[in-house]
Amino acid sequence: MKLEKLVGERFKERPADCIIHSHALMLRGGYMKQVTSGIFSSLTVLRRITRKIENIIRDEMDRIGGQEVLFPVVMPARLWQESGRYNSIGNELVRFDDRNGNSMVLGMTHEEAAVHLVREYGRSYTRYPFMIYQIQTKFRDEARPRGGLIRVREFTMKDAYSFHTSQKDLEDFYQKCLEAYYRIFARVGLPEVIAVASDSGMMGGSVSHEFMLLTPVGEDSIVICRNCDYKANLEAAESIVINENAGDEAPLVKVHTPGMKTIEEVCGFLGIPVENSCKAVVYWKEKTGEYVVVFIRGDLDVNETKVSKFLGESIRPAVIGENSGLVAGFIGPYGLKNVQMLFDRSLMGIGNLCCGANVPDYHYTGLNIERDLGKVEYHDFAKASENGICPRCQKNALTISRGIEVGNIFQLGDKYTKSMNMQYVDANGNLRYPVMGCYGIGIERLAAAVCEAHHDGYGPIWPISIAPWQVHLCCMRPDDQKVKETADYFYEQLQSANIETIYDDRDVSAGVMLSDADLLGVPIRIIVSPRNLKENLCEIQTRDKSISRKVETGQMLSAVQELITELHGRLYSVDA
Amino acid sequence: MKLEKLVGERFKERPADCIIHSHALMLRGGYMKQVTSGIFSSLTVLRRITRKIENIIRDEMDRIGGQEVLFPVVMPARLWQESGRYNSIGNELVRFDDRNGNSMVLGMTHEEAAVHLVREYGRSYTRYPFMIYQIQTKFRDEARPRGGLIRVREFTMKDAYSFHTSQKDLEDFYQKCLEAYYRIFARVGLPEVIAVASDSGMMGGSVSHEFMLLTPVGEDSIVICRNCDYKANLEAAESIVINENAGDEAPLVKVHTPGMKTIEEVCGFLGIPVENSCKAVVYWKEKTGEYVVVFIRGDLDVNETKVSKFLGESIRPAVIGENSGLVAGFIGPYGLKNVQMLFDRSLMGIGNLCCGANVPDYHYTGLNIERDLGKVEYHDFAKASENGICPRCQKNALTISRGIEVGNIFQLGDKYTKSMNMQYVDANGNLRYPVMGCYGIGIERLAAAVCEAHHDGYGPIWPISIAPWQVHLCCMRPDDQKVKETADYFYEQLQSANIETIYDDRDVSAGVMLSDADLLGVPIRIIVSPRNLKENLCEIQTRDKSISRKVETGQMLSAVQELITELHGRLYSVDA
C-alpha cells in the first residue's frame, strides 16, 4: 500500500490527556480515534495489527482443540436471570428493552450463551471434553475508562469456554490453555508475560489466573516472591502475618487521647509500636448501605476485594454519619454494638492492643481480644505488602509490581451448568453437572500492551509477527528520477514476493518521512536515497535500530527476506 | 477434525416452524441455534463457512482499494442526532442510556461512524477518493424476524463507505464496487445474483442497487423486463401507464350503489371497465396519525414505499374511524375535504371515471379530474405489475419474481457529510462537502442464500470456496481393521497436504454416517469400505452427485487434489 493512501492522520504533539505511552503514540500514529469515553474506532493500521493477533490466537486455540463459534452481542435477560448474574452484576451490564418490551442485555462475557449453545449437545458424557471460542465485540459499561485502549467500554475479545466431566479433566485442560496463552503472548512479542493467581470476581469459581505484563504504568498490583515462584494479583494475594512479639497481657484501661484520631498519633502519644494497635476501617455495603467495620493490625491495610468476597457483596469506603453510632477516629471492638465487625487474622494472639473506646477523645490500652470479646472468627482481610511474608515459602521476600492484565483464565466449576441446568448422563446412567473453564484475551488491549512494552520516544516498535506491514519502503527523493525508479522497482519486487509493504513516495521532507515511519513502527525499513544509490546501494534498517545494513540494490530482496527470517527467529517459535 | 468431536447436534426431523429450506437444513445440520427471536449463535460449521465468506469479501474489498477498519457497536446518540437519523429512524434503532445517563444507540449501519472517523483526515482534496470498510456485528430491532438467517435482528455485516470529491468519481467507484460485488457472489457460488435498482430507504441518497438471488422463497419482489435489461425492486420500480382508451368525456352523475364497496362490485354493477374507475386507498401517517388518501386507477395497486418517500415520512394502511369524515367504501376525490389527497399518474387524462361520492351507498360516474377538481399534481404511486409496461423499453414485458437480497450499494450524495459538517478544501481553496457511497453485505444471510440455491432434500451442497471442509472422509466400518487403518492413513495424508478434512470414524450405521455427511454438505466425499478395499479401491464422490469415481487407494491424494482444482474451476475465476 502507498502511504499517501493510508487513511488516518499522524501528528507530532503528544495529546495532553494521555498518561501512558501506548495511548499517546497510537493516537499520534493514526491507529484509532475516540468516539466517546471508552469507545474507539480502529483505523487501518490498528486493524491490520489486531487481525494478525486474532489469527495467532485462533491458531493456538485450534491447536488445543478449540472450535470457533459466534455468540450474539445482544442477549435476552432471561439467560442472565437463569445464571443469577442479571441481578448480581451492577451497572457494568447494559440492560435495555427491545421494541416488544423484552428485557435484553449487551454481552460483557458469554458463559450463559456458551451453556445455552451446548446444553443439548452436552447431554452424553461421550461428548466431553470440548472447548468452543469466539472472537467478538464485548461491551462493559466501565465507570472510568482510561489509558487509551487499556481500559475501554467496548472491545474485541477472544473468549473460550471448556466443558468437562471431572475437576481433574478441567485442571488438565486448564494447564494446556495456560501453556497456549504463554505461546500466544510470546508469539505476539511478549515472552515476559507471567501468570499470577487472581480473584475470580464476577465470574465465580475457585482457581483463576491473570496474565500480566509487568510495567510501571500498569493498573494492577502484583505480588511476587523474590525467593520462590509465588505470584498473585494483590487483590488475591494471601497475607501471612506472624506476630513474633505478641506482647504480654495487660489490663484493659481507658485513656484520654484528646483529638488523636490517627493510629500514628495515638501510638506516638502512648509510646507503643503501631503493630500493637487495632485499627478500624469502615465500609458500606453497596446494596443496603449498612456499615461493616474491619479491624486489622495498625500497620496493615485492608484488601477490599477479600472483604467483598467474604461478604458475598460489593462494599465501598464509608463516610461515617452523625447517627451511625460510630465515633469517627475512636472506633474499637470493645463495647461496639449494632454493627457487623470483621477481624483480620493479624490480630490473632496479640496480648495487649490499643484501640478506640467508641467515645470521643478516648482509647483503650491493654485490649486482649480473646479475653475481652470472647471467641471471634479471624479471616484474611489484609493486603499483602512490600517485604511481607510469602504465603508459600514463608520468607519475608514479597515485592509489589505494577502490571497490565493481558489475559485471564478461570476454573468455573459447576456454577453455570448448575444454575442453568445443563446436565449429562455419565457412563453409569446418572445425571451430572459438567464443570467449566473460561479463558479470555482482549485484542485491542493486547495490541496496546505490546506497544507499551516495545516503543521508543518516536513510536511503537512492532514485532514482525503482528506488525501492520513487514517492510516500510522510503523513497527519500521522489523528484530524483533514478531514486524514484529504483524505489518503484523495489515496491514491485516486494509485492511480487508477497512481502507486505507500505511505500512512502510522497514529496515530503526526510524528517516528515522518517517520523511517520517511526510512528507506524514497521520492523524493517528500506531507505532509497541519492547518496547511497550513487554507489548502487540501499539501506536496510530495523525499527529498533539494532540492525542497519547497506546492501547492493540487486541484493535488496534477498537481504529483506533474510532479515524477515531473522526477526521471526527472535520471537517464540511455535514448535519450541 | 474428527466428526465425533464436532460441537453441534444433527437431527432428522424437519423443524415445524421452518418455511424455507436453508432454515430447516441448517438447523438440522447443527449450524446455528436460536437464542431468542431473530438472534442466533453460530456453531462451528457455520462459523467455518462465514469466515471463508468474510475472507473472500476482504480480498475483493482490498482489491478495489478498500482499507479495513472497525467501528463500535455502541455509539453515542449525539452522532445520530448530527445526521438527523436519531429522530427519523423508528424502533429498529435500539436506544438506551449508559450508566452516566448518556443516550447511546446500537449500530444498525455506520454512515455516522464513518464520517466521524475520517472528518479530519478528509480535510484536503488530495486525500480523495478513499474507501473504508469493516466486518462487524449489527443489530436492527426488526419487527418480524423470519426465515432462519435470512431476516434476523443481529448479524455480521461487511459495510463499506467511500468518499469522493465529485459525483462522477463516486459513480466510477460505485461501478467498480458493483463489479467487485458480482465477483464476490460468483466466488461464493452465486453467479446468478443480479443487481436491481432499489429504493434508498433510510439511507437516503438517489441511486441504489440491491443484489438479488432469484428464488421463489425470497421476500422481495423484483420487476424484470423480458425485453430489455431493466431490473428493479418492486418498491422502486417505476410504473408507466398509458391510457390507450382514455374514454370520452361524460357528465358527472351521482348514482345509487347500495352496499357496493369494492371496485369490482361497483364496476360490474355499472357495466364499466375497472380501468375507468378511480380507487381510493387510505393511509395513516405514522407520526401524526393524519389520514392520506391515494387515488389510483382501479386495476392498479399502490406502492407504499413511493408514497412514503414522496411524503418524507412513514405511513401505514389506515382503519377508517367513525369521526374521520371518510365514508369507507365510498371515498372519492370530488367533494372530499380536510384530508390530504394524492393522485397517481395512471388517472391522468381519463375523461370519464367512476368514483365514490363520499356519501354511503353512492358513487359518481363521469368524473373528469381536470374539469371537476381543477389542476391536480400527478405522481408515480403505482406498483409495477406483471405484464406491465417497462419504463425503459416501453414494451409490455414486465415480469415479477421473488428474490433474496444478498447485498446493497448506495450513492448517498452529501446527505451525511453535509449534516455532519465534513468538508474539504478543494484545489482552489474552497470548502466543499465530499459525496459518499456505501456498500453492504450480510454475512450469515449470504451463507443461507447459498444454501437456498444449493441444496437437495438431504442437506446443503456447499461450493468448495466456502465449504466448512473440502473433504469428508467416511470410514464405513471402523471395526474392520484394514478399513480403519486405511482411513486413518488417508486422514494423515490429507492433513499433511493441507486439505481441510472432516473425518468420520464413528461406530455408527452407514445410514447415519451418510445422512450426517449430507447435512454437512462438504463437496468431496471419500468412502472407505470393505468391499472396495478388497480391490484396493476407494470411492471419491462429489456432494452434488455429479462425480463418483473409484480410484486405487495409492491414487487417493492426487485424485482428491485434481477434484479440488476441478471444483474450484467451476466457480468464477478471480482473474477472469
Side-chain angles (χ1 to χ4, degrees):
Chain A
M1 174 186 280
K2 288 216 182 184
L3 182 55
E4 69 169 346
K5 287 282 160 206
L6 178 64
V7 174
E9 287 216 293
R10 290 168 300 281
F11 52 91
K12 241 181 154 161
E13 306 71 29
R14 185 181 171 103
D17 58 340
C18 292
I19 311 290
I20 63 173
H21 295 303
S22 59
H23 187 190
L25 294 175
M26 291 172 79
L27 279 181
R28 287 183 47 209
Y31 287 73
M32 74 274 197
K33 186 176 172 191
Q34 183 168 314
V35 179
T36 190
S37 170
I39 302 181
F40 289 85
S41 286
S42 300
L43 279 151
T44 314
V45 189
L46 177 58
R47 192 69 189 99
R48 292 180 72 99
I49 293 170
T50 54
R51 281 203 62 206
K52 290 189 182 180
I53 293 176
E54 288 166 9
N55 285 334
I56 288 173
I57 292 176
R58 279 196 176 99
D59 191 43
E60 293 293 344
M61 290 296 102
D62 292 348
R63 201 176 167 202
I64 58 172
Q67 296 182 38
E68 189 175 351
V69 300
L70 188 68
F71 302 115
V73 171
V74 175
M75 283 175 281
R78 177 178 41 76
L79 271 189
W80 286 62
Q81 280 155 351
E82 278 188 49
S83 73
R85 289 206 292 185
Y86 189 74
N87 292 318
S88 67
I89 295 184
N91 288 337
E92 282 180 42
L93 180 67
V94 170
R95 299 159 171 90
F96 67 90
D97 285 353
D98 73 6
R99 67 188 295 160
N100 296 316
N102 300 308
S103 301
M104 311 296 280
V105 301
L106 291 189
M108 54 190 292
T109 168
H110 281 85
E111 284 73 18
E112 286 82 358
V115 170
H116 172 268
L117 187 60
V118 297
R119 200 149 42 179
E120 289 78 30
Y121 173 74
R123 274 201 208 106
S124 161
Y125 76 98
T126 57
R127 289 181 159 169
Y128 291 79
F130 59 89
M131 188 264 260
I132 49 180
Y133 73 95
Q134 67 166 350
I135 296 178
Q136 167 72 307
T137 302
K138 297 265 183 291
F139 194 86
R140 294 181 184 177
D141 206 352
E142 290 276 352
R144 285 172 297 124
R146 57 200 176 278
L149 298 178
I150 296 294
R151 186 161 294 275
V152 293
R153 297 200 286 171
E154 179 169 325
F155 56 100
T156 311
M157 189 175 184
K158 186 284 299 175
D159 43 325
Y161 307 90
S162 71
F163 294 80
H164 311 269
T165 54
S166 73
Q167 175 63 21
K168 168 77 174 61
D169 193 56
L170 167 58
E171 284 167 16
D172 289 349
F173 186 81
Y174 187 84
Q175 184 60 32
K176 269 168 78 175
C177 197
L178 190 137
E179 286 158 16
Y181 268 42
Y182 276 130
R183 288 194 299 271
I184 289 166
F185 297 122
R187 287 177 67 182
V188 303
L190 297 179
E192 65 269 44
V193 163
I194 57 170
V196 309
S198 67
D199 176 70
S200 301
M202 66 159 182
M203 292 298 175
S206 48
V207 175
S208 61
H209 285 87
E210 287 166 349
F211 290 81
M212 289 287 177
L213 172 70
L214 299 185
T215 156
V217 303
E219 13 173 60
D220 281 279
S221 295
I222 302 130
V223 177
I224 301 175
C225 178
R226 277 188 303 263
N227 184 57
C228 71
D229 67 343
Y230 183 75
K231 297 183 200 81
N233 192 311
L234 184 60
E235 289 185 347
E238 279 180 80
S239 65
I240 289 211
V241 180
I242 299 176
N243 289 310
E244 295 190 345
N245 187 6
D248 297 329
E249 219 176 302
L252 189 68
V253 175
K254 198 187 244 180
V255 292
H256 193 214
T257 50
M260 295 169 200
K261 295 190 171 185
T262 69
I263 289 288
E264 289 70 24
E265 284 167 346
V266 175
C267 291
F269 175 71
L270 299 172
I272 58 170
V274 176
E275 288 81 0
N276 270 54
S277 69
C278 166
K279 178 162 74 175
V281 190
V282 187
Y283 294 97
W284 273 323
K285 294 187 182 176
E286 283 224 324
K287 271 193 197 156
T288 59
E290 285 172 77
Y291 288 97
V292 181
V293 183
V294 182
F295 293 105
I296 191 166
R297 217 175 64 186
D299 59 321
L300 298 176
D301 287 319
V302 173
N303 179 328
E304 292 174 18
T305 306
K306 290 180 182 175
V307 177
S308 166
K309 198 171 179 181
F310 175 80
L311 292 171
E313 56 183 305
S314 302
I315 54 160
R316 59 194 171 97
V319 176
I320 298 170
E322 296 212 345
N323 302 319
S324 62
L326 296 169
V327 185
F330 301 94
I331 302 169
Y334 186 75
L336 188 62
K337 300 250 160 66
N338 303 321
V339 65
Q340 187 173 2
M341 297 188 280
L342 302 177
F343 294 87
D344 182 64
R345 58 188 186 192
S346 57
L347 297 170
M348 199 159 38
I350 303 187
N352 175 352
L353 282 164
C354 142
C355 68
N358 301 310
V359 175
D361 296 337
Y362 282 91
H363 278 81
Y364 284 114
T365 60
L367 176 76
N368 181 303
I369 291 180
E370 287 79 7
R371 182 194 67 197
D372 301 328
L373 302 173
K375 200 171 171 337
V376 306
E377 275 184 28
Y378 294 102
H379 296 280
D380 178 12
F381 299 121
K383 254 188 197 164
S385 58
E386 187 74 29
N387 291 319
I389 295 171
C390 172
R392 183 166 301 165
C393 72
Q394 314 282 331
K395 296 267 185 288
N396 264 90
L398 294 186
T399 62
I400 297 186
S401 307
R402 308 289 292 174
I404 296 173
E405 181 196 331
V406 290
N408 50 33
I409 58 178
F410 300 86
Q411 292 180 20
L412 297 172
D414 60 8
K415 173 179 157 81
Y416 295 92
T417 53
K418 210 163 185 172
S419 56
M420 297 182 71
N421 199 31
M422 171 175 177
Q423 289 186 296
Y424 67 91
V425 179
D426 73 9
N428 303 316
N430 301 313
L431 278 173
R432 300 204 178 281
Y433 297 110
V435 290
M436 282 175 73
C438 79
Y439 317 88
I441 296 180
I443 310 295
E444 290 88 358
R445 183 192 285 189
L446 183 52
V450 174
C451 176
E452 209 53 53
H454 300 289
H455 69 268
D456 59 18
Y458 306 101
I461 301 170
W462 298 110
I464 194 149
S465 54
I466 64 165
W469 295 271
Q470 298 171 296
V471 170
H472 193 120
L473 173 61
C474 294
C475 173
M476 298 300 281
R477 286 283 301 276
D479 57 326
D480 178 320
Q481 199 191 340
K482 195 175 167 210
V483 172
K484 182 72 166 71
E485 278 173 8
T486 307
D488 282 354
Y489 178 64
F490 279 6
Y491 185 47
E492 269 173 44
Q493 274 189 298
L494 291 160
Q495 284 184 302
S496 305
N498 279 320
I499 295 170
E500 296 169 45
T501 304
I502 179 101
Y503 177 26
D504 192 353
D505 63 347
R506 294 174 302 163
D507 186 15
V508 295
S509 72
V512 168
M513 196 174 275
L514 296 176
S515 68
D516 276 352
D518 284 342
L519 281 170
L520 295 179
V522 172
I524 298 172
R525 191 176 300 173
I526 305 176
I527 309 273
V528 186
S529 67
R531 205 178 44 181
N532 283 320
L533 218 50
K534 264 185 206 145
E535 300 165 62
N536 206 29
L537 297 174
C538 66
E539 225 174 315
I540 299 179
Q541 310 168 338
T542 54
R543 171 68 184 82
D544 66 4
K545 302 192 175 14
S546 65
I547 293 172
S548 176
R549 297 170 183 159
K550 289 194 182 179
V551 302
E552 286 193 18
T553 53
Q555 302 303 312
M556 181 282 295
L557 190 60
S558 58
V560 165
Q561 281 166 330
E562 255 170 55
L563 193 48
I564 289 174
T565 309
E566 196 176 329
L567 292 183
H568 273 293
R570 289 190 192 174
L571 291 169
Y572 176 88
S573 150
V574 188
D575 300 317
Chain B
M1 175 186 281
K2 287 215 182 184
L3 183 55
E4 69 169 346
K5 287 282 159 206
L6 178 63
V7 175
E9 287 218 294
R10 289 168 300 281
F11 51 91
K12 240 181 152 160
E13 306 72 28
R14 185 182 171 103
D17 58 339
C18 293
I19 312 291
I20 63 173
H21 295 303
S22 59
H23 188 189
L25 295 174
M26 291 172 80
L27 278 181
R28 286 182 49 208
Y31 288 72
M32 74 274 197
K33 186 175 172 193
Q34 182 169 314
V35 179
T36 191
S37 170
I39 301 182
F40 289 84
S41 285
S42 300
L43 279 151
T44 314
V45 190
L46 177 58
R47 192 68 189 98
R48 293 181 72 99
I49 294 170
T50 53
R51 280 202 62 205
K52 290 189 182 179
I53 293 176
E54 288 166 8
N55 284 334
I56 288 173
I57 292 176
R58 281 196 174 99
D59 191 42
E60 292 294 344
M61 289 296 102
D62 291 348
R63 201 176 167 200
I64 58 171
Q67 296 182 39
E68 189 175 350
V69 300
L70 188 68
F71 302 115
V73 171
V74 175
M75 283 176 280
R78 178 178 40 77
L79 271 189
W80 287 62
Q81 281 155 349
E82 277 188 50
S83 73
R85 289 206 293 185
Y86 189 74
N87 292 319
S88 67
I89 295 184
N91 289 337
E92 282 181 42
L93 180 67
V94 169
R95 298 161 171 89
F96 66 90
D97 286 352
D98 72 7
R99 67 189 294 159
N100 296 317
N102 300 309
S103 301
M104 311 297 280
V105 302
L106 291 189
M108 54 190 292
T109 168
H110 280 85
E111 284 73 18
E112 286 82 357
V115 170
H116 172 268
L117 188 59
V118 297
R119 200 149 42 178
E120 290 78 30
Y121 174 74
R123 274 201 209 107
S124 160
Y125 76 97
T126 57
R127 289 181 159 169
Y128 292 80
F130 59 89
M131 189 263 262
I132 50 181
Y133 73 96
Q134 67 166 350
I135 296 178
Q136 167 73 306
T137 302
K138 295 265 184 291
F139 193 85
R140 294 180 184 178
D141 206 353
E142 289 277 352
R144 284 173 296 122
R146 57 199 176 277
L149 298 178
I150 296 294
R151 187 161 292 276
V152 292
R153 298 199 287 170
E154 179 170 324
F155 56 100
T156 311
M157 189 175 185
K158 184 285 297 175
D159 44 325
Y161 306 91
S162 70
F163 294 80
H164 310 270
T165 53
S166 73
Q167 175 62 21
K168 168 75 174 62
D169 193 56
L170 167 59
E171 283 166 16
D172 289 349
F173 187 81
Y174 187 85
Q175 184 60 31
K176 267 167 81 175
C177 197
L178 190 137
E179 287 158 15
Y181 267 43
Y182 276 130
R183 287 194 298 270
I184 289 167
F185 296 122
R187 286 178 67 182
V188 303
L190 297 179
E192 65 268 44
V193 163
I194 57 170
V196 310
S198 67
D199 177 69
S200 302
M202 66 160 181
M203 292 298 175
S206 48
V207 175
S208 61
H209 285 88
E210 287 166 350
F211 291 82
M212 289 286 178
L213 173 69
L214 298 185
T215 157
V217 303
E219 11 174 60
D220 282 278
S221 296
I222 301 129
V223 177
I224 300 176
C225 177
R226 276 188 303 263
N227 185 57
C228 71
D229 68 346
Y230 183 75
K231 299 183 198 83
N233 192 310
L234 184 59
E235 288 185 346
E238 279 181 79
S239 64
I240 290 212
V241 180
I242 300 177
N243 289 311
E244 295 189 345
N245 187 4
D248 296 330
E249 219 175 301
L252 189 67
V253 176
K254 199 187 243 181
V255 292
H256 193 214
T257 51
M260 295 171 199
K261 296 189 172 186
T262 69
I263 289 288
E264 289 70 25
E265 285 168 346
V266 176
C267 292
F269 175 71
L270 299 173
I272 58 171
V274 176
E275 288 80 356
N276 271 51
S277 69
C278 167
K279 178 162 73 174
V281 189
V282 187
Y283 294 97
W284 274 322
K285 295 186 182 177
E286 283 225 323
K287 270 191 197 157
T288 59
E290 285 172 76
Y291 288 98
V292 181
V293 183
V294 182
F295 293 105
I296 191 167
R297 216 174 65 185
D299 59 321
L300 299 176
D301 287 320
V302 174
N303 180 328
E304 292 175 17
T305 306
K306 290 181 184 175
V307 177
S308 167
K309 198 171 179 181
F310 176 80
L311 293 171
E313 57 183 304
S314 302
I315 55 160
R316 60 196 170 95
V319 176
I320 298 170
E322 296 212 343
N323 301 318
S324 63
L326 296 169
V327 185
F330 301 94
I331 302 169
Y334 186 75
L336 187 62
K337 299 249 159 66
N338 303 320
V339 65
Q340 187 174 1
M341 297 190 277
L342 302 178
F343 293 88
D344 183 63
R345 59 189 186 191
S346 58
L347 297 171
M348 199 159 39
I350 304 188
N352 176 351
L353 283 164
C354 142
C355 67
N358 302 311
V359 176
D361 296 337
Y362 282 91
H363 278 82
Y364 286 114
T365 59
L367 176 74
N368 181 304
I369 291 179
E370 287 79 5
R371 182 194 66 198
D372 301 327
L373 301 174
K375 198 169 174 329
V376 306
E377 274 184 28
Y378 295 101
H379 296 280
D380 178 13
F381 300 120
K383 257 188 196 164
S385 58
E386 188 74 31
N387 291 320
I389 295 171
C390 172
R392 183 165 302 165
C393 72
Q394 314 281 333
K395 296 268 185 289
N396 263 88
L398 293 186
T399 62
I400 297 185
S401 307
R402 307 289 293 174
I404 295 173
E405 181 197 331
V406 290
N408 50 35
I409 57 178
F410 300 86
Q411 291 180 19
L412 297 172
D414 60 8
K415 173 179 157 80
Y416 295 93
T417 53
K418 209 163 186 172
S419 57
M420 297 182 71
N421 198 30
M422 172 175 177
Q423 289 186 298
Y424 66 92
V425 179
D426 73 10
N428 303 316
N430 300 314
L431 279 172
R432 300 204 178 280
Y433 297 110
V435 290
M436 282 175 75
C438 79
Y439 317 89
I441 295 179
I443 310 294
E444 290 88 359
R445 182 191 285 188
L446 183 52
V450 173
C451 176
E452 208 54 53
H454 301 288
H455 70 269
D456 59 19
Y458 306 101
I461 302 169
W462 298 110
I464 195 148
S465 55
I466 65 165
W469 294 271
Q470 298 171 296
V471 170
H472 193 120
L473 173 61
C474 294
C475 173
M476 298 301 280
R477 287 282 301 276
D479 57 326
D480 178 320
Q481 199 191 341
K482 196 176 166 208
V483 172
K484 182 72 166 70
E485 279 172 7
T486 307
D488 282 354
Y489 178 65
F490 279 6
Y491 185 46
E492 270 173 43
Q493 274 189 299
L494 291 161
Q495 286 184 298
S496 305
N498 280 320
I499 295 170
E500 296 169 47
T501 304
I502 179 101
Y503 177 27
D504 192 352
D505 62 347
R506 294 173 302 164
D507 185 16
V508 296
S509 72
V512 168
M513 196 174 274
L514 295 177
S515 69
D516 276 353
D518 283 342
L519 281 171
L520 295 180
V522 173
I524 298 172
R525 191 176 301 175
I526 305 175
I527 309 273
V528 186
S529 67
R531 204 177 44 182
N532 283 320
L533 218 50
K534 265 184 207 146
E535 299 165 64
N536 206 28
L537 296 174
C538 66
E539 224 173 316
I540 299 179
Q541 311 169 338
T542 54
R543 170 68 183 83
D544 66 3
K545 301 192 174 17
S546 66
I547 294 171
S548 177
R549 297 171 183 158
K550 289 195 181 178
V551 301
E552 286 194 18
T553 52
Q555 303 303 311
M556 181 281 296
L557 190 60
S558 57
V560 165
Q561 282 165 328
E562 255 170 54
L563 193 48
I564 289 174
T565 309
E566 196 176 329
L567 293 183
H568 273 293
R570 290 191 192 173
L571 291 168
Y572 175 88
S573 152
V574 188
D575 300 316

